[in-house]
Amino acid sequence: MYNPIPLFCFQNLLFPATMSKPIKLLSAWFCPFAQRTWICMLEKGVDFELVETDPYNKTPEFLALNPRGLVPTLIHNGRSVYESLVINEYIEDAWPQEPKLLPADPFSRAQARIWIDFIAKQLMPQYYHILQQQDKDKQEEAKSRLIKRLGSITAAMSSEGPYFFGEKFGLVDITLLPLCLRFPILEHFRQFSLPADGSFERLQTWLNACKSRPCVSATMAPEDKLIAKYQRYADDTAQTQVAEAIRKGTALP
């Protein structure tokens, strides 16, 4: 489906005539935001090349493709699209074939976007807040907030399961999944775990169903490598746009 190409091929991305494929995804193996779009591309069956990218090496060539210097960045016919949530809707529009990743009716589509926004603004920042917070009491407060918010989205899941909207895997699932796949990082550094009282049984059923999909398993990094990569967040020494936003209490980039 995809063939990783090295970072030094950036210049070729600017000129469609030199490309072996007109669709490339600039990604980073450890990035949850990039993983969303990687999953989306695989699920839609798009033929693309995966370009493993160091988002901390903001070369002029990289910034020419994405002025924010972040992954994911999608190159389609020589033009770039960035921001994972924007890219994922772009993919749904640009490749409208089955499987559809958003519901057909307007109300359900609106509900999907509401929960995608909730994940982006209420769940992801809380995850990083737990990880970067050095004060134990504040860590526990942040854990409680994350569990409460996870409870909210779990309660909104279809009772007909296994996915958020029932039998159809879609963009809400894809947006939430990279966060939940990184629970072992929080467990390792912050002893975070979901309550064992059965209240999150539905979330666990959902997670197991998602992990069994080929489009997901193909994107999953080894747990020990992720833990090593996230050590700097746990030490609050990461010098990234995400880490700085958490320290300042501003929106994630």
Side-chain angles (χ1 to χ4, degrees), residues 2-21:
Y2 57 84
N3 297 301
I5 62 176
L7 198 61
F8 61 74
C9 290
F10 263 142
Q11 189 63 29
N12 291 341
L13 299 179
L14 298 170
F15 302 98
T18 68
M19 293 193 283
S20 58
K21 293 182 182 179

Side-chain angles (χ1 to χ4, degrees), residues 59 86 90 130 157 179 220 225:
T59 65
V86 175
Y90 175 87
I130 296 169
M157 290 180 173
L179 179 146
M220 291 174 61
K225 290 186 177 181

Side-chain angles (χ1 to χ4, degrees), residues 8 24 55 64 66 69-70 77 87 112 117 140 143 154 196-197 200 218 246:
F8 61 74
K24 297 185 187 289
N66 182 340
L70 298 171
N77 293 328
I87 296 174
D117 184 73
E140 293 305 313
K143 288 180 193 178
T154 300
D197 59 5
F200 284 95
I246 293 300

Side-chain angles (χ1 to χ4, degrees), residues 7-219:
L7 198 61
F8 61 74
C9 290
F10 263 142
Q11 189 63 29
N12 291 341
L13 299 179
L14 298 170
F15 302 98
T18 68
M19 293 193 283
S20 58
K21 293 182 182 179
I23 307 164
K24 297 185 187 289
L25 176 63
L26 278 59
S27 183
W29 65 269
F30 55 85
C31 176
F33 309 102
Q35 188 179 17
R36 293 171 178 169
T37 298
W38 189 3
I39 293 170
C40 192
M41 293 286 279
L42 293 175
E43 179 66 14
K44 291 294 284 190
V46 179
D47 188 21
F48 70 101
E49 288 189 81
L50 184 72
V51 184
E52 182 61 28
T53 304
D54 180 1
Y56 310 125
N57 182 23
K58 300 187 190 302
T59 65
E61 293 82 6
F62 185 17
L63 293 174
L65 297 169
N66 182 340
R68 299 182 184 182
L70 298 171
V71 292
T73 299
L74 179 68
I75 312 301
H76 183 203
N77 293 328
R79 298 183 296 183
S80 61
V81 183
Y82 42 90
E83 300 301 320
S84 64
L85 303 184
V86 175
I87 296 174
N88 288 0
E89 290 219 29
Y90 175 87
I91 292 166
E92 182 73 348
D93 292 337
W95 293 279
Q97 73 271 15
E98 293 289 342
K100 302 290 189 181
L101 299 180
L102 282 171
D105 70 281
F107 178 78
S108 295
R109 289 171 80 91
Q111 290 298 303
R113 290 184 174 112
I114 287 169
W115 285 108
I116 287 169
D117 184 73
F118 179 85
I119 296 162
K121 294 179 179 177
Q122 300 295 324
L123 294 183
M124 289 300 289
Q126 206 59 47
Y127 178 95
Y128 281 98
H129 187 72
I130 296 169
L131 195 56
Q132 289 181 230
Q133 179 57 247
Q134 302 301 296
D135 182 275
K136 295 290 187 181
D137 290 338
K138 291 181 179 179
Q139 287 174 14
E140 293 305 313
E141 292 171 4
K143 288 180 193 178
S144 296
R145 288 194 296 270
L146 180 59
I147 288 172
K148 182 178 180 180
R149 293 171 189 180
L150 286 168
S152 296
I153 197 166
T154 300
M157 290 180 173
S158 169
S159 60
E160 299 174 2
Y163 304 113
F164 186 87
F165 279 112
E167 293 300 319
K168 294 277 287 184
F169 181 72
L171 288 188
V172 179
D173 306 296
I174 290 169
T175 306
L176 178 61
L177 186 54
L179 179 146
C180 294
L181 290 174
R182 284 159 177 74
F183 282 164
I185 297 172
L186 283 189
E187 181 179 4
H188 177 83
F189 289 115
R190 298 292 182 255
Q191 296 74 56
F192 173 87
S193 62
L194 294 173
D197 59 5
S199 57
F200 284 95
E201 184 177 346
R202 175 68 180 91
L203 185 65
Q204 190 59 57
T205 298
W206 167 84
L207 182 57
N208 291 339
C210 290
K211 288 167 68 174
S212 71
R213 299 186 71 85
C215 68
V216 174
S217 59
T219 71

